[in-house]
Amino acid sequence: MAGTDSSDAPGRPLDSDSSEPLHLQLRGHLRAQILNHSLPPGTSLPSEAQLQVRYGVSRSVVRQALGALADEGLIERGRGRGSTVAPRREHHRLVHRTSGLSAQLGSTGASVGTEVLSLSVQDADASTAVLGTPQVLSLERLRTADGVPIAVIHTWLPVPAFADLTAESLQNASLHAVLGEKFGVQITSGKRQIRAVPGDRDLLRLLRLDTSSPVLLLEGTSFDQDGRPVEVFSTWHHPDHVVFDIDIQREPAVPASAGSLASPAADAPDAVADQARQLGADLLRLADRLSHRGY
């Protein structure tokens, strides 16, 4: 609830024997509470003196931790009024829709940028066999919203169908829009999976994340208007800036006698909903496990 006071919240003891400095431990503890909405926007943080007592640390440790949170834009500090959790600009992605991230962000008024990191022809493997070609075009991009990195996208396309694609044509552009304009291909259906995963060093650097941060991975295959597989993709989303939204509708009842003939796609909304409900808990468990392993 906005405007609430967190001064009575219990503190977690910091580990003075850890190789991680105390101010980073305190920052991490407060940061986790902000990101998991235990401390929602508008919440007043305890005073510096209260944090000193609660965590048994010096004033300089508290000030370093709060300063780091302020630099991230997670809290707002005001002279004489303490610190409060800052409003958050979250970008929402409707994962049950075929429109890509660029189109969805653009429709909200966000300034969307796309940097092509690499574009090359590779041999197909087991993960891209669904495309049905011996070679695939491998495309890696960095997507930003209002200048902030929010996703790294790796896409594989069949060759030779899309061999004429160039990095220049995809810079600051939507891939799906280019496929429609240049090749007459419309994405009309697909399969999607969501999971929380650890990010490697290069991925975390591109998304400006700490080494202990998990990321949100959306994987899938997209099909065109003729039912042909067009792309295989993996998109790693910044967990602080992207929220997955899913619209759920009740499916028409299927007669028991027709159950064996029902399309597997009929169960897709329920399956995605189950994944979405568990995603937050999975993400927090993964972050905790990574931090304890010292990643």
Side-chain angles (χ1 to χ4, degrees):
M1 182 182 299
T4 59
D5 192 325
S6 65
S7 59
D8 294 329
R12 184 180 68 182
L14 304 183
D15 184 2
S16 58
D17 295 326
S18 171
S19 59
E20 184 180 30
L22 290 174
H23 73 273
L24 292 182
Q25 293 184 49
L26 178 55
R27 165 189 170 271
H29 181 48
L30 295 174
R31 186 176 188 271
Q33 293 181 78
I34 293 171
L35 297 181
N36 69 21
H37 288 260
S38 295
L39 297 174
T43 301
S44 297
L45 294 183
S47 67
E48 291 183 1
Q50 288 173 321
L51 289 172
Q52 283 180 252
V53 173
R54 179 177 304 174
Y55 292 99
V57 295
S58 67
R59 190 172 188 178
S60 63
V61 167
V62 171
R63 287 188 168 181
Q64 281 182 282
L66 294 179
L69 293 172
D71 290 342
E72 286 188 83
L74 294 178
I75 67 171
E76 296 175 342
R77 306 178 74 185
R79 185 179 299 276
R81 62 179 179 87
S83 300
T84 58
V85 179
R88 294 181 63 192
R89 174 68 187 273
E90 295 177 334
H91 300 283
H92 292 253
R93 178 166 193 174
L94 299 169
V95 296
H96 58 283
R97 294 189 179 176
T98 57
S99 54
L101 181 59
S102 178
Q104 291 192 22
L105 291 177
S107 68
T108 66
S111 176
V112 182
T114 304
E115 177 186 353
V116 177
L117 302 175
S118 65
L119 180 66
S120 62
V121 174
Q122 301 177 353
D123 291 334
D125 57 22
S127 65
T128 56
V130 68
L131 297 175
T133 56
Q135 290 188 311
V136 294
L137 190 65
S138 174
L139 169 65
E140 190 172 14
R141 295 166 291 159
L142 175 66
R143 179 70 38 78
T144 61
D146 298 327
V148 177
I150 63 167
V152 173
I153 310 165
H154 201 162
T155 307
W156 296 266
L157 303 159
V159 170
F162 302 114
D164 291 340
L165 279 173
T166 64
E168 290 75 19
S169 67
L170 296 171
Q171 198 79 9
N172 291 320
S174 162
L175 172 63
H176 289 182
V178 172
L179 294 182
E181 295 166 3
K182 189 176 179 66
F183 302 96
V185 171
Q186 303 297 325
I187 304 298
T188 60
S189 62
K191 299 178 180 179
R192 306 287 186 263
Q193 291 184 334
I194 308 168
R195 59 173 59 92
V197 300
D200 63 28
R201 181 179 302 175
D202 290 338
L203 177 65
L204 297 177
R205 175 182 55 80
L206 288 169
L207 293 177
R208 301 177 190 171
L209 283 165
D210 293 336
T211 55
S212 61
S213 297
V215 293
L216 304 175
L217 173 61
L218 177 66
E219 299 175 290
T221 303
S222 299
F223 301 88
D224 68 8
Q225 63 269 32
D226 298 317
R228 294 173 298 195
V230 172
E231 66 171 352
V232 173
F233 69 88
S234 296
T235 304
W236 294 267
H237 300 77
H238 196 299
D240 302 346
H241 300 313
V242 180
V243 176
F244 291 153
D245 289 347
I246 302 172
D247 286 342
I248 303 298
Q249 297 181 352
R250 184 178 179 84
E251 292 293 320
V254 178
S257 59
S260 60
L261 301 178
S263 168
D267 295 328
D270 289 338
V272 176
D274 289 340
Q275 288 181 321
R277 282 191 290 268
Q278 297 178 17
L279 186 58
D282 291 344
L283 185 61
L284 291 175
R285 283 196 296 270
L286 178 60
D288 186 65
R289 186 165 68 249
L290 291 174
S291 62
H292 279 83
R293 289 182 179 178
Y295 283 93

